[in-house]
Amino acid sequence: MRYLSAPLAGLVLLAGCTRPHDELPASGTTLRVRLAPETLRDRQLTAGEEEIGSVTAFRFEEGTLQEIVEGRADGNGNHAFRLTGLAGELRFVANAASIARPETGSSLEAFDAIVAPTTALAGDAPAMTGRMTLEKPLPTLATVGMRRSVARIDLEATDSGVAVQRITIRGVADRGYLNVRPTAETPAAAERIDFTKAYTDGRLTAGRDPLLYVCEQTGPAATVEVLATFGGGLHRMTATLPATLERNHIYTLRVHGSGANAAITVTADGWESGEQTETSPALKGLIDASASTLDEGVRINAAGDTVRVSYLGGNFRLALRAEADAEVAVEGHLRGVTATVTPATRALQPAASVTVTADRRMPNEATGYLYLDIRRDDTHSGRVVVLFEPNPTRITGLSLDEEGVCDYGRYIDGELGRIELPAGKQATLEFDAGEDPWMALADAGSGTLRLLGGWKPNDPKADGRTQEGRLVIADADGSHAERYTVRRINQGLPVVRIGGQWWCKYNLRGNVRSFEDQITVANDPAADTRLADYLASCSDEELLRLLGDQYQGGNRQGLPLRHNGTSFYYEGMQGSAQHFGALDPTYMAPDGYEVPDYDDYAFFSGSDNYNIGGVGSRSYNNRRGDRINVRIIERDATFLGQPYGTIAFYEFTSGEGCWVLDGLGHQWNTTAGNISRMMILLATSGNSTSSWLMEGYAQSEKANQNWLKFVSQNATKTRTVRCIKTPVEYIYK
């Protein structure tokens, strides 16, 4: 169990937590954000270190805090923020519920100066911060890199026979800044405290132990003292940490020992990049440069004990000098790197040669290290450090595997990620012959590009096939090209454009998240005919399929129409449910689509209680003055072998757009038969009390009476779900 001794009030134990999310307010504009913690490869993450719990966005405009917005997780790894203003800069703070927040009207300068104890900055999950400039139009899905507000110190003992008994770290600051500063600094109010850990089982052997979090700090360097046993004796080793401890870094204290020699190596790896500092006593190795074979980009330092390898990788051979009977061992493991030792065959030759083959370092991979330890008679006589430089290109948002592939395995569009290019680099996109250009690059300024996933309305290829493209990063002349593959599943629903919105043609059915359950572009039966006429003339079985299922908020599985021999009912209906208006609009919809809000449906109505008339055609103006033509058709339906009664289809035309509203009547409680046959209750997002309703009446019952209403509805009643396309920045042909 990781612990802190009693005197260390400012240093915290590593743990994890889950925090609840607040509901979105009913008004404003929704911004969806993928918060991406910077991830360190080839390092051990502890519980909670990648967790995004509670998230708050602070919107500043001209240096003044205008609004504070709580984020809501959408279940897909993204967060939604309902903003009342769309100008300025957003500052995101995650996992910081215990830190006092500023009030609206306060300054950005004061926000950046927030100081908190390390206990609050680390908490159950480390606090993280990020930022985003608001630009119109808002991206469909923005990606924001999040940096942890703390650093972590680990202890590692990997040499055989080395057992750490106790470690003490003296002089670390007990508090720090929440937000990133222009340069690392220690708050004036910080005090220096000590940390001690004695291993309760007597030792740490051949393992790694995350010790503690510390805040970002500068000033007098903290010191380290380790007591360890090896070679039959107790040894005391000391080291000094770097004078600057940076946030979002992992500092590893590696204890080495064999025979009578001992050392501590301090390695600093960011969750994204890092450097190394070695402390005395240092173990020296010696490279025979003249006998080595080096690739371009492989460099040996003047002391002959460190090799730096360009991020491009390569193949090279190092010749190591030592006594004739010395042995060389390789310590460390890195993705894409192999090291093979070949012993010397004659005296007075190098002790061994080490052949290294290294793949190109991936973006976001940390600086990597291999250690070549030279031993003779179980005694260290030298060490060579091989350092693999990080890729200078930084990519956020894309999760690349070891082959450089980001395979979403589902449909996705909007902003997929951001690429920060170093000077002299350029990025392009490649697609195979016959593949549509479904991705695009957009300039975000300051050497950063946005990678956008696009959408094609009524794409005939949106049939579940895989789409693939390659992000190519190269020098300006095309050399040193790096290719990263991005894949998604191309799926889509048939849509029509009306009222400035892309509306789906059909109601949802089955599982709302499953394209396979829906009427898709590939199987649209009315692709080449007017939908209202098709619905009026198709078979009853086909009509029931096309009208879709009913839904209750929070339950993604459709409630199909059933008959028990006496009455119709919706199978699976529960006595309580969540209100659609309190859910994220994307929660009850397939990827790339969402539940419409008040304004979307309001386009078709003249008011919140508007009669569009009866069977036949007529014209009227909606509330914003657009001319709407409506055609209403009725038919009698028999479902499941039982007479259902009259249903109606409402065909709305405006400009070149033609859209048909239809659906089964809602059920108001769980009693079979309690279905309002022509009352189509429409799932509506953004309002936790009211929903749009088509209050329909057969012409023979109430002539010329069909009312579009926005009225209060309880959450239990079932709804028809007709989606709209979530706005997408890049539409391709």
Side-chain angles (χ1 to χ4, degrees):
M1 174 178 179
R2 306 187 188 101
Y3 65 98
L4 299 176
S5 55
L8 297 181
L11 303 178
V12 302
L13 180 66
L14 307 182
C17 73
T18 300
R19 303 184 188 275
H21 300 280
D22 296 330
E23 293 186 358
L24 292 174
S27 61
T29 300
T30 299
L31 170 68
R32 292 183 182 83
V33 180
R34 178 182 294 122
L35 300 173
E38 293 170 352
T39 300
L40 177 68
R41 293 176 181 264
D42 303 323
R43 289 292 183 273
Q44 173 184 336
L45 289 171
T46 67
E49 286 192 339
E50 290 193 300
E51 176 184 327
I52 298 290
S54 59
V55 185
T56 306
F58 300 84
R59 186 175 68 84
F60 288 89
E61 193 171 346
E62 297 182 352
T64 301
L65 181 57
Q66 302 296 325
E67 62 177 314
I68 302 172
V69 183
E70 302 299 329
R72 178 184 171 85
D74 66 0
N76 298 317
N78 307 318
H79 286 75
F81 300 85
R82 191 67 59 82
L83 303 174
T84 60
L86 301 179
E89 181 184 43
L90 283 182
R91 295 292 192 92
F92 297 94
V93 178
N95 306 333
S98 63
I99 298 175
R101 67 172 63 188
E103 296 181 353
T104 54
S106 58
S107 68
L108 179 58
E109 182 180 5
F111 180 78
D112 283 336
I114 292 175
V115 173
T118 313
T119 48
L121 292 175
D124 293 328
M128 303 184 198
T129 63
R131 64 178 64 185
M132 171 189 175
T133 300
L134 290 170
E135 299 174 346
K136 295 181 180 179
L138 287 181
T140 304
L141 179 65
T143 301
V144 175
M146 299 292 286
R147 303 198 73 194
R148 297 162 185 83
S149 298
V150 291
R152 196 180 91 194
I153 298 178
D154 289 4
L155 176 65
E156 186 175 82
T158 57
D159 284 355
S160 175
V162 176
V164 176
Q165 305 289 330
R166 188 180 70 207
I167 181 170
T168 300
I169 303 174
R170 297 184 175 92
V172 292
D174 68 342
R175 64 196 60 236
Y177 289 101
L178 170 66
N179 293 290
V180 177
R181 307 283 288 176
T183 58
E185 56 183 298
T186 304
E191 297 181 357
R192 300 285 173 167
I193 55 178
D194 299 341
F195 166 84
T196 297
K197 180 172 182 179
Y199 287 89
T200 54
D201 59 358
R203 59 181 183 165
L204 170 69
T205 59
R208 183 185 185 95
D209 183 20
L211 291 173
L212 71 156
Y213 292 119
V214 295
C215 56
E216 186 172 65
Q217 54 197 274
T218 58
T223 60
V224 179
E225 179 184 275
V226 173
L227 290 179
T229 58
F230 59 89
L234 181 65
H235 300 258
R236 176 179 174 271
M237 293 168 280
T238 62
T240 302
L241 289 170
T244 299
L245 298 179
E246 297 184 58
R247 69 182 61 224
N248 214 58
H249 279 61
I250 298 176
Y251 294 86
T252 302
L253 307 172
R254 290 187 174 89
V255 179
H256 308 277
S258 183
N261 296 293
I264 308 173
T265 300
V266 183
T267 302
D269 288 297
W271 267 270
E272 55 171 330
S273 62
E275 302 172 349
Q276 171 175 303
T277 303
E278 292 197 353
T279 64
S280 67
L283 301 174
K284 296 180 180 178
L286 186 61
I287 303 169
D288 186 343
S290 63
S292 300
T293 304
L294 306 180
D295 271 359
E296 178 185 0
V298 179
R299 308 176 304 283
I300 301 173
N301 71 346
D305 62 1
T306 301
V307 181
R308 297 184 72 94
V309 183
S310 162
Y311 78 95
L312 295 171
N315 301 301
F316 56 96
R317 184 179 63 85
L318 300 175
L320 306 183
R321 287 181 178 148
E323 287 83 357
D325 56 351
E327 296 180 348
V328 177
V330 179
E331 177 189 331
H333 173 76
L334 294 173
R335 180 203 64 81
V337 176
T338 59
T340 305
V341 178
T342 303
T345 58
R346 293 187 297 159
L348 304 179
Q349 295 291 316
S353 64
V354 180
T355 301
V356 179
T357 301
D359 293 343
R360 181 183 63 241
R361 300 294 285 168
M362 302 275 286
N364 308 333
E365 276 187 310
T367 301
Y369 301 93
L370 287 184
Y371 302 97
L372 310 180
D373 286 331
I374 302 173
R375 291 185 173 91
R376 183 172 181 263
D377 297 331
D378 292 327
T379 299
H380 267 103
S381 61
R383 157 168 282 201
V384 171
V385 177
V386 185
L387 182 152
F388 298 85
E389 297 175 340
N391 194 312
T393 298
R394 185 161 171 251
I395 299 177
T396 56
L398 295 182
S399 180
L400 298 170
D401 65 17
E402 293 188 352
E403 303 301 321
V405 176
C406 176
D407 190 344
Y408 287 101
R410 61 183 178 89
Y411 179 80
I412 187 172
D413 58 30
E415 183 176 303
L416 305 179
R418 294 199 171 203
I419 304 102
E420 296 180 22
L421 296 173
K425 290 287 186 179
Q426 64 181 10
T428 57
L429 294 172
E430 285 182 349
F431 302 95
D432 289 338
E435 180 63 272
D436 292 329
W438 63 276
M439 290 188 296
L441 291 169
D443 187 4
S446 302
T448 300
L449 297 173
R450 300 167 59 228
L451 180 63
L452 305 178
W455 173 67
K456 182 177 181 179
N458 298 314
D459 182 3
K461 297 180 182 178
D463 55 4
R465 71 184 70 187
T466 297
Q467 284 184 305
E468 181 176 302
R470 287 171 295 280
L471 172 65
V472 183
I473 299 170
D475 294 343
D477 61 0
S479 60
H480 298 134
E482 312 166 39
R483 286 175 168 81
Y484 303 104
T485 300
V486 183
R487 300 184 185 125
R488 73 173 182 184
I489 304 299
N490 187 19
Q491 294 175 305
L493 305 179
V495 293
V496 296
R497 181 75 170 173
I498 188 170
Q501 191 64 268
W502 289 100
W503 281 87
C504 293
K505 290 176 62 176
Y506 299 98
N507 303 325
L508 294 187
R509 59 195 310 274
N511 189 306
V512 296
R513 302 289 299 164
S514 170
F515 280 97
E516 289 75 13
D517 286 355
Q518 311 309 322
I519 310 298
T520 62
V521 175
N523 59 20
D524 182 2
D528 301 318
T529 188
R530 294 181 72 165
L531 178 58
D533 294 334
Y534 182 83
L535 295 174
S537 60
C538 67
S539 68
D540 287 319
E541 291 76 16
E542 172 75 345
L543 176 61
L544 181 58
R545 183 179 76 93
L546 298 181
L547 292 179
D549 290 336
Q550 291 288 288
Y551 293 89
Q552 290 179 292
N555 180 5
R556 288 171 162 172
Q557 190 60 46
L559 312 175
L561 184 68
R562 295 288 186 258
H563 198 277
N564 61 12
T566 302
S567 305
F568 285 103
Y569 67 99
Y570 295 114
E571 185 177 55
M573 183 182 180
Q574 300 297 312
S576 63
Q578 300 180 62
H579 203 290
F580 275 86
L583 296 170
D584 186 277
T586 63
Y587 184 79
M588 297 286 291
D591 288 325
Y593 299 84
E594 62 186 59
V595 174
D597 64 13
Y598 170 85
D599 290 330
D600 296 321
Y601 277 117
F603 172 81
F604 300 101
S605 186
S607 67
D608 286 355
N609 187 11
Y610 191 75
N611 182 16
I612 62 173
V615 172
S617 301
R618 65 200 53 83
S619 299
Y620 59 94
N621 290 338
N622 66 10
R623 65 182 61 200
R624 71 185 195 190
D626 299 298
R627 196 64 175 167
I628 306 289
N629 298 313
V630 63
R631 182 169 68 115
I632 302 175
I633 303 174
E634 289 184 355
R635 70 171 278 181
D636 286 329
T638 298
F639 295 143
L640 308 174
Q642 301 293 329
Y644 181 83
T646 301
I647 59 175
F649 315 115
Y650 307 92
E651 181 188 78
F652 297 92
T653 304
S654 180
E656 297 181 357
C658 180
W659 179 73
V660 177
L661 175 62
D662 55 66
L664 295 167
H666 73 272
Q667 185 170 336
W668 66 85
N669 61 26
T670 57
T671 301
N674 287 350
I675 293 178
S676 297
R677 174 173 43 84
M678 293 186 68
M679 307 292 180
I680 306 173
L681 185 52
L682 301 165
T684 309
S685 69
N687 189 297
S688 60
T689 58
S690 298
S691 300
W692 280 98
L693 168 72
M694 174 57 77
E695 185 180 301
Y697 297 97
Q699 187 73 4
S700 60
E701 298 170 356
K702 281 190 177 182
N704 304 319
Q705 298 283 309
N706 286 280
W707 295 79
L708 262 175
K709 295 184 174 184
F710 186 70
V711 292
S712 178
Q713 302 285 351
N714 66 52
T716 302
K717 296 177 182 179
T718 66
R719 263 75 165 173
T720 294
V721 180
R722 178 72 65 90
C723 292
I724 56 174
K725 178 69 184 75
T726 298
V728 61
E729 187 172 350
Y730 171 50
I731 297 179
Y732 63 93
K733 297 181 179 180

